[in-house]
Amino acid sequence: MLNLNDLHVFVQVVDHGGFAAASRKLNVPKSTLSKRVLELERVAGVRLIHRTSRSFAVTELGQDFYRHASAMLIEAEAAENVIKGRLAEPSGTVRITASVPTAQLSLAGLLPRIADAYPKIRIELHATDRFVDVVRDGFDIAIRDHFGPLPDSGLVQRRIGFEHSWLVASPDYVGRAGTPSHPSEVAAMDGLMVSSADGRWRLADGEGRTVEVSPAPRFHADESVVLMEAARAGLGIACLPAKLCGPHVRTGALVRLLASWTAGGVTTTLLMPHRRGQLPSVRVVADLLVERLGGATWGGAT
């Protein structure tokens, strides 16, 4: 039979993309890891990893073997948890990644409360707007805000909620430029645009009508908080998710324009690797995030 410890070494090496990275993570000599994988290959009778001094690649059979080995380790951990007691308090580290705005707006006030409720769970939040490989970088949970569908990544996806996007501007700008009564009037106004977008906003009302508008570009940025601050400074109209601009609309710092129209919206999704999502600590944190973030409302938009 295959050695379960060798399976663990193999999965860790694949997860970290090589022997050197796994050695640093596990604090085990690289030579030891290599010997254990060689022994696993000998017992299995197949080559699982092609490695040279300059390259590392999992074979096609090794990739299939990895998926089953990961599942076996989860089942082994689940069996251990049964022995320790199913009702034991969830414990261990849960690593979460999210964009900077999501971390600031949605998670900053919530994660400390979860950590307080489960003192044996250690939460690590990594806030970044750069691309993150959830599996390779060792994250248990990713929170993603996205305008279009997410690609099929093999991760477990749990939809948290959807936020409409509103057109907003400062009272000062509205006082100078006027209040549009129809989307067509937006074309003559200053637009605060997302740098990577096509310069058009697609508006829809509650009666099924849609229209595209192209405001005069006044300011570009690839970060929503910057666009919101530009709107608050009176530079023009911004198209922003309700959960971001809603609090400022309520205080009067921003004015919502064309209130019967929305400009698409942002979906919030929680993602988890299959093999990590079954751990009790990860599962309880994920369930709380879906429950608490999914219940947030901003000016009637859930």
Side-chain angles (χ1 to χ4, degrees):
M1 291 187 62
L2 298 178
N3 187 309
L4 190 62
N5 290 327
D6 291 345
L7 289 177
H8 172 73
V9 169
F10 171 71
V11 169
Q12 290 293 321
V13 168
V14 174
D15 280 348
H16 292 91
F19 290 92
S23 173
R24 291 190 296 270
K25 181 68 175 179
L26 300 175
N27 197 26
V28 175
K30 179 181 174 182
S31 59
T32 301
L33 299 181
S34 180
K35 288 178 182 178
R36 297 322 309 164
V37 172
L38 282 173
E39 176 62 15
L40 179 63
E41 291 177 327
R42 186 193 68 78
V43 175
V46 295
R47 175 62 66 86
L48 301 173
I49 297 175
H50 288 305
R51 64 270 202 192
T52 67
S53 59
R54 296 185 177 181
S55 65
F56 173 92
V58 183
T59 67
E60 182 178 356
L61 182 57
Q63 293 174 356
D64 290 336
F65 186 82
Y66 164 79
R67 286 191 286 271
H68 290 285
S70 299
M72 286 181 63
L73 293 176
I74 286 296
E75 290 302 323
E77 190 167 359
E80 184 179 12
N81 288 334
V82 169
I83 295 174
K84 292 179 178 178
R86 289 184 178 272
L87 300 180
E89 186 177 359
S91 62
T93 299
V94 178
R95 301 187 69 230
I96 304 171
T97 178
S99 68
V100 173
T102 298
Q104 293 174 337
L105 294 171
S106 301
L107 301 180
L110 177 57
L111 291 181
R113 296 202 300 272
I114 295 177
D116 182 61
Y118 292 89
K120 292 186 179 180
I121 293 179
R122 178 171 178 245
I123 294 177
E124 294 182 2
L125 174 63
H126 179 64
T128 179
D129 292 321
R130 295 178 296 176
F131 172 80
V132 172
D133 187 317
V134 176
V135 174
R136 176 160 294 182
D137 293 337
F139 287 104
D140 302 302
I141 295 172
I143 305 294
R144 291 289 177 259
D145 289 333
H146 50 98
F147 293 96
L150 290 174
D152 184 5
S153 61
L155 300 172
V156 176
Q157 297 188 15
R158 297 178 63 181
R159 174 170 163 155
I160 293 178
F162 177 84
E163 294 282 348
H164 286 292
S165 291
W166 296 346
L167 298 187
V168 295
S170 71
D172 179 63
Y173 180 81
V174 172
R176 298 195 315 267
T179 303
S181 59
H182 188 271
S184 60
E185 299 174 25
V186 173
M189 307 182 80
D190 298 306
L192 311 178
M193 315 301 293
V194 176
S195 301
S196 59
D198 59 7
R200 293 178 293 176
W201 293 331
R202 295 165 181 84
L203 306 181
D205 66 3
E207 300 178 4
R209 294 176 297 181
T210 60
V211 61
E212 289 188 353
V213 297
S214 300
R218 172 73 171 82
F219 183 88
H220 287 83
D222 59 3
E223 214 288 314
S224 296
V225 174
V226 176
L227 293 175
M228 183 179 68
E229 292 303 320
R232 293 181 62 189
L235 294 183
I237 301 175
C239 176
L240 299 170
K243 69 177 179 181
L244 177 62
C245 64
H248 299 284
V249 171
R250 288 198 294 271
T251 63
L254 290 173
V255 176
R256 183 182 176 187
L257 306 176
L258 300 170
S260 61
W261 296 78
T262 57
V266 178
T267 300
T268 301
T269 301
L270 181 146
L271 301 100
M272 295 184 298
H274 286 273
R275 67 180 189 85
R276 298 294 298 174
Q278 299 180 42
L279 299 178
S281 57
V282 176
R283 188 165 59 246
V284 72
V285 172
D287 289 345
L288 286 170
L289 289 173
V290 172
E291 174 189 343
R292 304 291 173 81
L293 295 181
T297 58
W298 303 96
T302 301

